[in-house]
């Protein structure tokens, strides 16, 4: 059985839909509580490429709600995007995961969006 057999057996997805998921490129802006769950979901479903954009560092107060991070990430003062990338590569090595330690703004938006299939907004404030 393939990793995605359950998705492929689900008629609305099927093998063709799974291939579309594999061919997709997702840009995730924000890797906090919502973002960590979205990132993990994307990787587990088999997207082809995931780019995570977040400038924050993992803090102790994040650990109770941001599922991809642990105490070692705090001790190492890892940026959230990088800590998430490291964990996600262990979940599914077939997915290309990139970490962008930056704000998403008008200066880098065109570069980051590129040939993106889907943009997920997981920011935690209106200013972002």
């Amino acid at each position: 059985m393939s990793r995605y057999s359950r998705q492929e057996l689900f008629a609305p997805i099927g093998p063709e839909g799974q291939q579309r998921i594999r061919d997709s490129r997702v840009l995730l802006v924000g890797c906090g509580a919502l973002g960590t769950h979205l990132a993990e979901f994307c990787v587990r479903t088999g997207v082809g490429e995931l780019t995570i954009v977040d400038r924050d560092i993992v803090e102790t107060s994040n650990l109770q709600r941001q599922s991809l991070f642990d105490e070692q990430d705090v001790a190492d003062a890892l940026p959230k995007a990088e800590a998430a990338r490291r964990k996600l590569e262990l979940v599914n090595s077939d997915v290309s995961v990139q970490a962008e330690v930056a704000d998403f703004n008008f200066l880098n938006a065109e570069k980051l969006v590129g040939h993106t299939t889907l943009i997920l907004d997981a920011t935690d404030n209106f200013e972002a």
Side-chain angles (χ1 to χ4, degrees), residues 38-59:
L38 289 172
E40 186 173 1
F41 183 74
C42 286
V43 167
R44 289 190 185 277
T45 59
V47 300
E49 183 178 308
L50 174 65
T51 301
I52 302 167
V53 181
D54 196 302
R55 66 168 168 75
D56 290 337
I57 304 297
V58 181
E59 299 174 348

Side-chain angles (χ1 to χ4, degrees), residues 34-127:
L34 177 60
T36 55
H37 295 289
L38 289 172
E40 186 173 1
F41 183 74
C42 286
V43 167
R44 289 190 185 277
T45 59
V47 300
E49 183 178 308
L50 174 65
T51 301
I52 302 167
V53 181
D54 196 302
R55 66 168 168 75
D56 290 337
I57 304 297
V58 181
E59 299 174 348
T60 303
S61 64
N62 303 142
L63 299 180
Q64 58 89 10
R65 67 190 184 288
Q66 298 177 14
S67 63
L68 289 177
F69 308 131
D70 58 42
E71 292 176 353
Q72 191 61 53
D73 298 328
V74 175
D76 294 341
L78 284 178
K80 288 181 177 182
E82 179 59 24
R85 183 192 65 76
R86 292 179 185 189
K87 301 287 183 358
L88 294 167
E89 286 180 342
L90 297 173
V91 171
N92 190 344
S93 61
D94 290 334
V95 175
S96 173
V97 181
Q98 283 87 45
E100 287 286 333
V101 181
D103 285 316
F104 181 80
N105 58 42
F106 72 95
L107 297 171
N108 62 9
E110 188 174 340
K111 175 192 141 219
L112 290 171
V113 170
H115 293 59
T116 298
T117 309
L118 177 67
I119 300 170
L120 297 173
D121 180 357
T123 56
D124 60 1
N125 63 74
F126 288 113
E127 292 78 29

